[in-house]
Structures are given as structure tokens and as C-alpha cells.
Amino acid sequence: VKLGAVGYLQKPEGKFVTLFNSFSPEIGQESAVRGLPSLYGYGRVSSGAQRQDKRNAAQRGYDAFVGLLTFRGKSGAVSS
């Protein structure tokens, strides 16, 4: 799915159907969409990347538990 895509999730296939792109609605296939203002008209738009955590719930719980057992002493040394 491209950034700015507006659409819906088609079931049962789980496919995303793009109706238009909010960054450039003027190149949309529907004439009603071409008259919409671009998302850029509402102010500054920035994009970035976000890392997705691939650990399952058990792994996250284990890591949280281990984090509670590990602590730093006054000297800065790690003890467990």
C-alpha cells in the first residue's frame, strides 16, 4: 500500500483496494476525486519509517522479566 492511499480492505482475500492517493487526487480515475484538494494543502506533511517488533507475546514477556532481574549497582556494573 502506497503512502497516502485511500481505500478499503476487500474481504475475504484481505486485499487493499486503492480508490485514490491523497497526495495527488488530481490523477485519480474518478472525476469526483480529481476535485479534492491535495493533502499538502492542509500543511506540512512528513514521512518516515517505523520499525515493527517481530517478537511474539511470550518473547516480549520474557524480555520484560529479564529486564527486571538485571540492574546496575552504584559502581555502574551490571549484576543479575
Side-chain angles (χ1 to χ4, degrees):
V1 178
K2 291 186 178 184
L3 184 63
V6 176
Y8 60 93
L9 187 61
Q10 187 177 43
K11 293 185 178 181
E13 299 87 13
K15 178 184 172 189
F16 185 80
V17 177
T18 302
L19 299 174
F20 67 95
N21 190 298
S22 62
F23 289 112
S24 53
E26 67 278 357
I27 61 172
Q29 295 179 2
E30 298 292 327
S31 60
V33 171
R34 290 188 207 123
L36 293 174
S38 169
L39 190 60
Y40 292 118
Y42 293 98
R44 184 172 169 251
V45 178
S46 61
S47 64
Q50 182 177 7
R51 184 179 161 272
Q52 295 291 336
D53 193 0
K54 296 188 190 275
R55 300 175 299 161
N56 63 28
Q59 290 169 327
R60 289 192 305 269
Y62 175 77
D63 289 344
F65 179 71
V66 170
L68 291 173
L69 296 178
T70 306
F71 59 92
R72 295 187 183 272
K74 291 181 183 178
S75 66
V78 176
S79 61
S80 49

